[in-house]
Amino acid sequence: MKRIYLDYAATTPTHPEVVKAMVPYFTEAFGNPSSLYVCGQEAKSAIEQARVLVADLIGAESEEIVFTSGGTEADNFALEGVAFANEDRGNHIITTTIEHHAVLETCKFLEARGFSLTYLPVDEHGLVDPEDVKRVITDKTILISVMQANNEIGTIEPIAEIGRIAKEAGVYLHTDAVQTVGHVPVDVNELGVDLLSISAHKLYGPKGVGALYIRKGTRIVSLMHGGEQEQGRRASTENVPAIVGLGKAVELAQREMSEEAGQLVNLRDQLIKGLMERIDDIRLNGHPQRRLPNNINVSVKFVEGEAVLLNLDLEGICASTGSACSSPSAEPSHVLLALGVPLEQARGSLRFTLGKWTSEEEIERVLEVLPPVVARLRAMSPLVKRER
Ligand SMILES: *Cc1c(COP(=O)(O)O)cnc(C)c1O
């Protein structure tokens, strides 16, 4: 059976060209980039090339890019690094209820260490209101962290508006752009952000590598202490092949992103339309227009999302109930609950995220397989009899 992969927001396959670009940095140019002989300096120059590519994609200077072990570390670095470097200015941090766990758990950690957190609500489509941000800023506020696009529902937040508010108030702004970089145009100056998180494995690069953009002049402390790598901002011998892979992924994105987004929007809308036509009592979660080109998130009433997923898996279709991290626990998504989706509908949520290799045939296959699966589960569901 041919597998149909529709979980690109959880991770993407590594692009074959990325793998090809990485291989020489395991086999030939395996030197330590801090070493002065040729095979070390080859590795060093490959890292610097990747840094330029990443910076170019987001309109930054290469010195403003620090490579990390992924999106999670970039988020931790941004929040903890800025919090601990600016304690003398204040202890208040603003974020939202729909952030990724990499941000939310870091906020909890900071809260336990004396920082004061404000978690802004979102509207029924998952949008943060910039006026809310403005309203809660105090003279103790040091940082605002709002994700650029949500990984579960695909809603794209008004970061540029929040950027203007942050700038006016003299408060740092961080955005988790893991779901947007390499997929839609991202420019740190247009957005007005001071810190921005990137992860390679969400844009056809390898897992275990990412980057944090840090605007020049931002007060931040390091989390990793040791050697002088990354201009002394992130100790540890660089993961050279992975960084080269991220560079290659970014280079491919620069070239292919806009055409790919156009195709994905068509496939996305085809799947949304088909699901709405073929399944009763279903609703689209997230913003109808301001959403990622590849994201479909629906709540199917009277079924458990997990049961649907297992049945889809038997048909070779990989999808998700929301975020990859929360799926093994049967906890309903914190994002859907924040939108005001009733608990039972949050439990019946399904996320399909499309990518570079998604075809129209695959979308048609989902539209063929899913309605009978839902009908079968509903026929067995006690929820249906109770509510109908
Ligand atoms: C995947 C993801 C992360 C975590 O990135 P890793 O590289 O897996 O650590 C952070 N934020 C968002 C929005 C994500 O989708």
Side-chain angles (χ1 to χ4, degrees):
M1 182 166 50
K2 205 173 149 278
R3 263 202 299 171
I4 298 179
Y5 184 75
L6 296 175
D7 203 10
Y8 281 81
T11 193
T12 54
T14 315
H15 196 292
E17 281 193 48
V18 168
V19 176
K20 208 167 105 197
M22 289 171 69
V23 170
Y25 294 91
F26 290 107
T27 53
E28 294 150 39
F30 58 82
N32 188 318
S34 300
S35 301
L36 294 176
Y37 39 77
V38 169
C39 126
Q41 288 309 298
E42 279 169 354
K44 174 87 187 153
S45 100
I47 292 173
E48 294 318 312
Q49 259 175 291
R51 201 185 307 282
V52 171
L53 290 167
V54 172
D56 278 353
L57 184 68
I58 60 169
E61 304 286 327
S62 60
E63 312 85 71
E64 296 175 312
I65 304 298
V66 175
F67 292 115
T68 65
S69 64
T72 300
E73 187 190 324
D75 286 343
N76 275 257
F77 187 7
L79 274 85
E80 287 173 51
V82 168
F84 291 126
N86 294 277
E87 274 181 294
D88 57 335
R89 293 187 187 178
N91 71 341
H92 182 225
I93 299 169
I94 300 167
T95 187
T96 80
T97 50
I98 62 162
E99 297 300 308
H100 189 272
H101 289 294
V103 166
L104 287 179
E105 291 298 316
T106 306
C107 288
K108 264 204 231 161
F109 170 84
L110 290 170
E111 238 173 344
R113 275 151 194 84
F115 288 89
S116 158
L117 268 289
T118 299
Y119 299 90
L120 292 175
V122 292
D123 73 6
E124 75 272 25
H125 296 133
L127 276 181
V128 176
D129 183 349
E131 286 305 311
D132 282 347
V133 177
K134 194 169 181 175
R135 207 167 31 77
V136 299
I137 292 177
T138 71
D139 57 358
K140 292 272 194 304
T141 309
I142 50 177
L143 176 66
I144 300 164
S145 180
V146 178
M147 68 202 317
Q148 194 182 6
N150 183 273
N151 48 302
E152 294 189 34
I153 54 172
T155 298
I156 299 173
E157 300 296 343
I159 300 299
E161 279 95 318
I162 298 171
R164 283 192 281 278
I165 291 165
K167 190 164 184 192
E168 203 172 294
V171 174
Y172 290 128
L173 175 60
H174 165 249
T175 193
D176 177 335
V178 169
Q179 291 291 337
T180 46
V181 169
H183 301 284
V184 296
V186 173
D187 185 294
V188 291
N189 294 313
E190 280 171 26
L191 294 175
V193 295
D194 303 293
L195 304 115
L196 179 145
S197 302
I198 299 174
S199 173
H201 77 100
K202 306 286 175 77
L203 65 129
Y204 310 104
K207 293 168 185 59
V209 65
L212 180 65
Y213 157 78
I214 307 172
R215 185 179 292 279
K216 228 175 275 163
T218 302
R219 281 171 58 174
I220 186 164
V221 296
S222 301
L223 303 189
M224 302 284 278
H225 308 285
E228 278 297 304
Q229 292 89 357
E230 300 293 293
Q231 305 169 53
R233 290 192 285 190
R234 201 265 182 188
S236 181
T237 302
E238 300 89 337
N239 186 350
V240 183
I243 291 170
V244 168
L246 170 56
K248 189 67 186 184
V250 157
E251 189 189 329
L252 293 170
Q254 185 83 272
R255 221 163 53 212
E256 299 175 3
M257 175 168 86
S258 74
E259 196 189 326
E260 189 178 312
Q263 287 166 4
L264 290 178
V265 165
N266 288 334
L267 292 172
R268 176 195 74 186
D269 292 347
Q270 187 187 335
L271 182 52
I272 293 174
K273 186 161 168 281
L275 291 175
M276 298 296 146
E277 282 169 2
R278 293 174 201 207
I279 300 173
D280 296 333
D281 293 312
I282 185 171
R283 60 174 268 180
L284 180 69
N285 295 315
H287 200 283
Q289 286 91 37
R290 283 187 69 113
R291 75 188 296 132
L292 289 170
N294 76 331
N295 174 290
I296 297 112
N297 186 312
V298 289
S299 281
V300 186
K301 263 183 135 179
F302 315 119
V303 296
E304 294 278 347
E306 258 103 279
V308 178
L309 283 194
L310 293 176
N311 279 274
L312 287 179
D313 192 28
L314 293 175
E315 302 282 347
I317 299 170
C318 312
S320 157
T321 53
S323 67
C325 332
S326 63
S327 355
S329 61
E331 289 288 297
S333 145
H334 69 286
V335 175
L336 294 180
L337 296 181
L339 306 189
V341 174
L343 193 64
E344 277 183 359
Q345 289 182 41
R347 286 192 201 284
S349 72
L350 295 173
R351 182 188 71 179
F352 299 95
T353 45
L354 322 181
K356 210 181 269 294
W357 292 287
T358 304
S359 66
E360 203 166 324
E361 293 74 56
E362 291 179 334
I363 299 298
E364 280 164 13
R365 177 80 187 135
V366 174
L367 288 173
E368 199 179 284
V369 168
L370 187 57
V373 164
V374 169
R376 210 162 55 229
L377 290 170
R378 279 178 175 170
M380 302 186 300
S381 167
L383 299 172
V384 180
K385 295 194 187 71
R386 194 150 29 88
E387 287 201 23
R388 269 182 176 169

